[in-house]
Amino acid sequence: MLTGRTALVVSSQCRSYTTKHGLRPVPVLPNATLETFRKDAFEPATPALLPRQTFSQLPAIPRWFSPASDRTTTLNRHYLARFGATIVPLEISNNDKFTRIEQSLSFFLECVNASSSTYDVRPSRYFSAYRPGARAIRRTSQSNTFFSAAALTPPTARVYLAQASINDLPRALRDDLPVPELVLKVGKGDVYDSSIWIGQAPTYTPLHRDPNPNLFVQLAGTKVVRLFSPNAGRAIFARVQEIIGGSASATMRGDEMMQGAEKKALESEVWDDDVESGRIGFEAELNKGDGLFIPKGWWHSIKGTGSGMTGSVNWWFR
C-alpha cells in the first residue's frame, strides 16, 4: 500500500503519460539518498524510480554507446572490439523460433553491424545454425560485407546479448559498471548476481519474477517495464497456463516462455492494451541514466522500444 508521502511523489514527480487498464506510473523518489531509498522503496518492497538521470555518470554509457545522427544510439564498436574474444550469452529469435548460444563478443558486434542489411540467397550452413533463417555471403578482397545488400529478403532474425554476468567480463568492462552505493549499503551489502542486456530495438523479456531485489539501470535507448505484485503476477501466469492448457512452473522458467503458445499468450496478457483482464500493476519508461527498483518476487516484463541500440544493466542484491 502506498504511503501518503509516496502518493504525493506519484502525483508531483511522475511522467505525464497515462497507462491503461489499471497500470499506474511507478512512483519517482524525491531524491537518491540511501535513507529515502530504504524508507520509500526497499523496506516497503514497492517499485520505485530513482530521480531521472541518477546513473548518467556510469562510465559504460559514453564508452559502450555512441549517439547516431538520427537521434538513435549505436554501439561504440571501436571500444568494444578490444574485448572481442570475450564469450557472451546470446538469445537468437527468428519469428517463432528461439535459441540460446554462447559466442564471442566480436560475433555479436558483427551481427549488430549486419542487422540493417539484407540477405544473399546463398545459404551458409555455419551461420544459419546460429541465426535461424539467415543467409550470409563470403568476404572477398573487395568487400567485407557480412550480408549481401543486393538481395531483397529483409532480415528477420534478432540477436540479443542477454543476461551476461558482469563478473564474466574483462576487468576493464567490469570497471565501466561499478556497483551503485545503494546496492552495496541498503541490504546485506553483497550482490547476488548482475547482468548486462544489449540489443537492437525492439527487444523483449517476457513476464517473470526474481528471487532477489533488483536495481535495473538503462544505459542506452528506451525500455518500458510493466510490473505486477506477487499475487497479481501469479494470477496472470495462472490465466495464461489455463488459456494454453499448460502446466509450467512459475518458479522454474525455461525457453517455453520465449516461443510458441506461452510466449504469445504471456505477451498478449501483459502488453495488449485491449485485453480486458482486470490487471492491476505499474508501468515505467526508462531512458539513458534512469534506474528502477524491482522488489523481490514482483513480476515484470520489459520491452525495448524505438530504434537503434538499447542497453541495460541490473544488479540483484540480498
Side-chain angles (χ1 to χ4, degrees):
M1 182 175 68
L2 296 179
T3 65
R5 177 174 179 176
T6 304
L8 177 62
V9 172
V10 172
S11 62
S12 64
Q13 297 195 33
C14 279
R15 294 175 64 91
S16 59
Y17 70 88
T18 301
T19 59
K20 301 178 180 179
H21 297 299
L23 297 177
R24 295 171 290 172
V26 172
V28 182
L29 299 180
N31 57 64
T33 65
L34 180 62
E35 178 186 3
T36 297
F37 180 68
R38 177 182 286 120
K39 179 167 58 69
D40 291 347
F42 184 75
E43 291 180 350
T46 185
L49 279 164
L50 279 297
R52 300 292 175 173
Q53 299 289 297
T54 291
F55 301 97
S56 60
Q57 300 305 311
L58 281 174
I61 292 178
R63 292 178 184 171
W64 296 17
F65 302 94
S66 302
S69 57
D70 57 355
R71 297 184 180 180
T72 60
T73 300
T74 62
L75 285 179
N76 185 346
R77 290 170 51 83
H78 178 74
Y79 178 74
L80 294 175
R82 296 164 47 193
F83 314 98
T86 304
I87 301 301
V88 293
L90 303 177
E91 294 181 353
I92 305 174
S93 57
N94 183 23
N95 296 323
D96 198 36
K97 298 178 181 178
F98 176 83
T99 187
R100 300 179 198 266
I101 64 169
E102 290 190 345
Q103 259 289 354
S104 66
L105 180 59
S106 61
F107 178 85
F108 172 70
L109 295 175
E110 281 192 295
C111 290
V112 169
N113 188 50
S115 60
S116 60
S117 301
T118 51
Y119 302 146
D120 186 72
V121 295
R122 290 171 293 176
S124 167
R125 182 175 62 182
Y126 168 78
F127 192 68
S128 62
Y130 291 100
R131 207 169 170 195
R135 287 173 170 78
I137 62 172
R138 294 182 178 180
R139 291 181 175 84
T140 68
S141 58
Q142 291 79 31
S143 172
N144 194 40
T145 304
F146 199 49
F147 293 114
S148 168
L152 298 177
T153 305
T156 57
R158 292 188 173 275
V159 181
Y160 192 26
L161 198 167
Q163 204 164 326
S165 175
I166 296 177
N167 289 333
D168 293 338
L169 300 178
R171 167 62 67 181
L173 294 181
R174 297 201 303 270
D175 290 344
D176 290 341
L177 293 168
V179 182
E181 184 180 56
L182 292 178
V183 171
L184 294 175
K185 293 186 177 180
V186 74
K188 295 184 177 180
D190 61 333
V191 177
Y192 174 76
D193 204 353
S194 59
S195 291
I196 58 172
W197 314 75
I198 302 174
Q200 189 157 14
T203 61
Y204 171 65
T205 301
L207 187 70
H208 67 286
R209 60 181 180 176
D210 298 326
N212 293 93
N214 181 1
L215 180 64
F216 185 90
V217 175
Q218 193 69 5
L219 302 174
T222 300
K223 283 187 176 178
V224 177
V225 186
R226 290 191 169 181
L227 306 102
F228 304 90
S229 69
N231 288 338
R234 192 179 304 111
I236 294 175
F237 180 80
R239 184 162 54 250
V240 166
Q241 294 304 310
E242 182 179 357
I243 291 172
I244 67 174
S247 58
S249 167
T251 303
M252 301 299 293
R253 310 298 291 123
D255 289 354
E256 70 278 355
M257 66 179 180
M258 298 297 297
Q259 58 190 336
E262 182 169 322
K263 175 183 181 293
K264 294 176 181 177
L266 269 177
E267 188 167 7
S268 176
E269 286 293 316
V270 174
W271 292 98
D272 286 359
D273 286 332
D274 57 353
V275 172
E276 298 291 348
S277 61
R279 63 192 172 201
I280 298 177
F282 292 91
E283 181 178 278
E285 180 182 286
L286 280 75
N287 295 294
K288 180 179 68 175
D290 293 341
L292 170 68
F293 172 64
I294 304 175
K296 173 183 176 179
W298 274 67
W299 295 72
H300 50 285
S301 181
I302 305 173
K303 280 192 173 184
T305 62
S307 59
M309 296 303 299
T310 67
S312 312
V313 58
N314 77 286
W315 293 268
W316 291 284
F317 55 99
R318 305 177 199 269

